[in-house]
Amino acid sequence: MNSSSTRRGWTLAHTAAAGAVFFAAATCALAIPPVVKTVPWVATNPLIPHDTWEGKVITLKGTSDVQGATIQYIWDFGDGSPTVVGTVNNRYVIEARHAYSGVVGNTFTATLTVVNTATGESASRNYYVRLETKDLSTEVNVAIDEGLWYLHRTQNRSGQEGYWSGSGYNLGHTAANVNAFEVNGHLEGGPGENPYTETVSRGLRYVFAGLFSTAISPQTLGNPDGNGNGYGVGVNSSRPFYEGGMVMDAIIASGTSEATAATGPVGPGPGILNRKYKDILQDMADFYAYAQYDDSRYGAWRYGVNDFPDNSASQWGAIGLIPAQRNWACVVPTWVKTANINWLAYSQRSDGVYGYTSSDPLSGVPFGTTPAGMVQCALDGVGRGHALWDRAETYIRDNFVPPTAYWHFKNNYYGMFSFVKSMLLHDSNGDGVAEPLQLLKSNTPNVPPIDWYSAEVTAGDPTDGLARKIVDDQRKTLDGNFGRWTGNGWYDDYGHATAWAIIMLRRTLFESGAPVAVAKANPNPAVAGQLIQLDGSDSFHQDSAKLIDSWEWDLDNNGTYETSGPFPTVSYPSVGEYTVKLRVSDNGSPEGFDDATLRILVSTPPLPPTAVAGGPYSFCEGAKPWFLDGSASSNPDEGLSSPPTQPGDTIQSYEWDLDGDGQFDDADGPQPDVTAFFEAKGPGSYLVQLRVTDTTATSFPTSQSPDLVDIDSTVVVVRTSDDPECACIDDLRARAKSGKVQLVWTYTGAHHCNIYRSTRSGGPYLKIASTTSTYSTFLDYTAANGVTYYYVIREANLLDNEQCQSNEVSARPIKR
């Protein structure tokens, strides 16, 4: 089995008027086909399926540009079950709920069709769903997926803006929700076919419209004006220093420091409208420095400028200033941090608890104020090894238990979010580089460290980590609150809990998308002593501007990463279930990371095969024919049988689903010629699946097992000849020698080239080697005299993804 592991007060009259204007416009355009969109799981690659597991009810999500009594939607789930038909009453929310069944790896192509019944015009869009093993990683992905959709469908839209209500905290609430989309790679400048692109754009427009600029001046502790323009930027709110940090995070998570604000006031001073995001952010940092309580003992924040501070409000100053400085190099004066350290020392009890406005917390809520103090430690460069941090971390670890107390921070999303921020932003030396902490530690004797995020009682841990707690807290009732999180009454009820839950599960606070680790093994399951190929090449980044550049593997689940690279190998000497962890990191600054857990089963036959669909494939019109290649599929008990007189087990069929209908009847064989099929489809990107079936029923009759199967999916991209990606090597040359063939071509700068050979012109070809040689030459020493060979080479990147195929050459070695 191919295992993998792997989201101000507008009146109702405003809204109604905007809807009436829209509907009138739509009515005038009834003859135009609807514009249908479906929500992608990954904004940068809509062919990556949404995760689910067998029997899990999930939401299929889409939108249209039209709505009304004559606009009908049809959801075809792609698994042969009845379609769902209804009227599009809200063009932003066209949803259906469904549970899939089948084997792990099966990918379903659902289709949303919108029809104008008055004109007959219609349009459709695909929606991909893949069955995965139900584990924490899959549950997290589904939870994020459903949570983002809840936020999307509850956005209030008017004009070009969109907001979420939050009991007087609309700006902070909206910013937090926008941030939840952004850290999952859904950005305002994202693909137009992604419905969330508009959602994020609307939210940011609302946020910028709610900012103001104001004159600032030197304070007792120093000059707060980092850019010298004499102005700061604040949030138009009764508690601006609560909401300001959330707004700063949402701006930074856009990933576009050079973008300009499309809304906002034009003054006083530089104002907001048409200013660059990075300049607005610097002025927001300046305003926080200006507003800090300026007694040298008590540097922090509260509700207004120079208010006596409280730790609850102060963490939001820290969470805004940290990325402003670390990500966009904004100026944060040293004296701001020095004063804040003084405040932390003043407001911490000897047991590690950070209080509210002194060393005493509000009654029963030390789990809210203590991690809030730790977030400020991260701003100040105070981390492990410093008493202000160590005492607080020890207190949290010593109380990291099942949440029996009502106000325990595992019951309180405000405190939980503060804690997650502190662990991810931890900086022990003040260099402004995050040192994320995976294990929560205590200085109390006999209290062991614990993985605060991934721990699970079912995996043998003493208590659940936050991921399990958050996933289990999500609303599962199939109503309007499906996918939502709610708090327990302290600030959470203002509506932030869903956004905070999504951000915590993603473990990325203000990056424009995150790396996503995906781990596979071939074969899996395996037999004892068998060499197993690990594969992290399907890992991806949600932000197209960043790359994954590091793969580290913990092969024995002991917390130490023993090997690196996308394709290591491992073997296990005895039967059992083994856990492997993959950590990938990106080229961002600060570096982003993600973990995936892979479980490898080592067992006795009969065992299912492991399907490997190959790819991703890049088919260029000028380089035909086109073949798929599933020959890397493996059968762990190949040749074995019981009793031994039976034929040995083997893979008996390779069946391909090329059109997404769930039927594996479009091609067969390990290397089928699919030229005609994809010529008819034309340029575009397509999801295909391979199903392999073994001979277990014949080879192991005493097991009374049917033939076993496995399914894998991949992507085919069909390109026109003038596509830049099709600018391949076109001068491959071959020279025959006795018992060998020399290939020569012009070096193109590719990471490496894969060498393919066939005894038939046009293929299919067998990969015989790879080379990183910059001399662009290769000697095939395995060629037999008297045989004509046909060669092509394919340029490939670090992950062995092949870009295109060279011209074909032939050679016939002759003994001399």
Side-chain angles (χ1 to χ4, degrees), residues 424-481:
L424 295 179
L425 299 174
H426 168 262
D427 174 16
S428 63
N429 58 15
D431 64 357
V433 177
E435 304 157 7
L437 301 176
Q438 180 180 356
L439 298 179
L440 176 63
K441 296 184 178 180
S442 170
N443 288 332
T444 303
N446 302 317
V447 178
I450 191 169
D451 187 326
W452 58 267
Y453 179 84
S454 299
E456 290 188 273
V457 171
T458 56
D461 296 306
T463 186
D464 286 332
L466 299 193
R468 170 53 58 198
K469 176 66 169 64
I470 295 168
V471 165
D472 289 349
D473 280 352
Q474 190 176 31
R475 292 286 293 270
K476 309 295 193 301
T477 305
L478 301 179
D479 58 16
N481 287 316

Side-chain angles (χ1 to χ4, degrees), residues 40-116:
W41 170 234
V42 180
T44 54
N45 186 351
L47 292 181
I48 294 179
H50 299 256
D51 284 357
T52 189
W53 61 87
E54 187 167 30
K56 168 64 177 176
V57 176
I58 59 170
T59 308
L60 283 72
K61 318 166 188 69
T63 66
S64 170
D65 67 332
V66 289
Q67 65 185 43
T70 63
I71 309 299
Q72 183 184 74
Y73 71 84
I74 305 166
W75 270 109
D76 182 341
F77 299 113
D79 61 353
S81 59
T83 59
V84 171
V85 181
T87 300
V88 180
N89 296 314
N90 180 352
R91 68 188 183 103
Y92 293 104
V93 182
I94 308 176
E95 64 182 12
R97 295 198 173 104
H98 189 64
Y100 287 91
S101 61
V103 300
V104 170
N106 204 352
T107 301
F108 300 91
T109 302
T111 305
L112 170 61
T113 300
V114 175
V115 181
N116 187 327

Side-chain angles (χ1 to χ4, degrees), residues 352-391:
V353 168
Y354 282 104
Y356 183 54
T357 56
S358 67
S359 58
D360 292 325
L362 287 173
S363 177
V365 290
F367 299 112
T369 52
T370 300
M374 295 168 71
V375 178
Q376 295 169 75
C377 286
L379 167 67
D380 303 331
V382 170
R384 280 186 180 165
H386 195 294
L388 291 174
W389 175 277
D390 289 344
R391 287 195 297 256

Side-chain angles (χ1 to χ4, degrees), residues 638-699:
E638 180 72 22
L640 301 179
S641 62
S642 179
T645 55
Q646 294 298 114
D649 192 32
T650 192
I651 295 177
Q652 63 174 310
S653 65
Y654 299 76
E655 301 166 296
W656 299 83
D657 174 15
L658 307 182
D659 56 11
D661 65 356
Q663 303 300 310
F664 292 82
D665 56 4
D666 301 312
D668 62 79
Q671 292 182 305
D673 185 334
V674 294
T675 309
F677 182 90
F678 284 108
E679 277 182 330
K681 299 282 282 187
S685 298
Y686 307 98
L687 190 70
V688 302
Q689 295 189 88
L690 167 64
R691 180 173 69 189
V692 297
T693 305
D694 70 6
T695 58
T696 291
T698 301
S699 301

Side-chain angles (χ1 to χ4, degrees), residues 153-353:
R153 58 188 170 87
T154 56
Q155 187 182 50
N156 300 291
R157 299 171 177 89
S158 184
Q160 295 297 309
E161 297 179 11
Y163 72 99
W164 290 266
S165 300
S167 298
Y169 291 90
N170 288 8
L171 280 165
H173 187 190
T174 298
N177 289 351
V178 166
N179 197 359
F181 285 101
E182 291 172 325
V183 299
N184 283 282
H186 302 286
L187 308 176
E188 65 171 333
E193 61 269 20
N194 178 5
Y196 292 164
T197 298
E198 179 184 336
T199 304
V200 173
S201 177
R202 285 179 175 274
L204 283 175
R205 284 173 174 267
Y206 177 84
V207 166
F208 282 116
L211 302 183
F212 69 91
S213 58
T214 184
I216 59 174
S217 58
Q219 299 294 287
T220 303
L221 300 179
N223 185 359
D225 194 1
N227 57 10
N229 68 358
Y231 282 84
V233 167
V235 174
N236 192 4
S237 164
S238 61
R239 295 185 177 183
F241 302 108
Y242 263 99
E243 301 186 74
M246 300 182 215
V247 169
M248 294 173 77
D249 286 357
I251 295 173
I252 291 171
S254 72
T256 52
S257 61
E258 296 295 317
T260 56
T263 54
V266 295
I272 306 298
L273 183 65
N274 295 327
R275 293 189 67 202
K276 290 183 178 181
Y277 286 9
K278 65 179 182 180
D279 295 333
I280 294 171
L281 198 74
Q282 178 64 68
D283 280 348
M284 294 189 76
D286 293 349
F287 194 50
Y288 265 106
Y290 170 76
Q292 187 179 36
Y293 188 64
D294 54 10
D295 186 301
S296 62
R297 296 169 298 169
Y298 307 133
W301 300 270
R302 200 175 189 184
Y303 302 148
V305 173
N306 299 129
D307 278 359
F308 189 89
D310 74 60
N311 272 316
S312 176
S314 294
Q315 67 160 316
W316 297 109
I319 191 60
L321 292 174
I322 288 171
Q325 183 176 34
R326 295 183 188 179
N327 291 46
W328 285 6
C330 291
V331 176
V332 178
T334 301
W335 53 265
V336 170
K337 302 176 185 179
T338 301
N340 191 233
I341 292 174
N342 292 336
W343 162 256
L344 292 173
Y346 167 80
S347 61
Q348 188 181 46
R349 284 192 329 209
S350 60
D351 65 353
V353 168

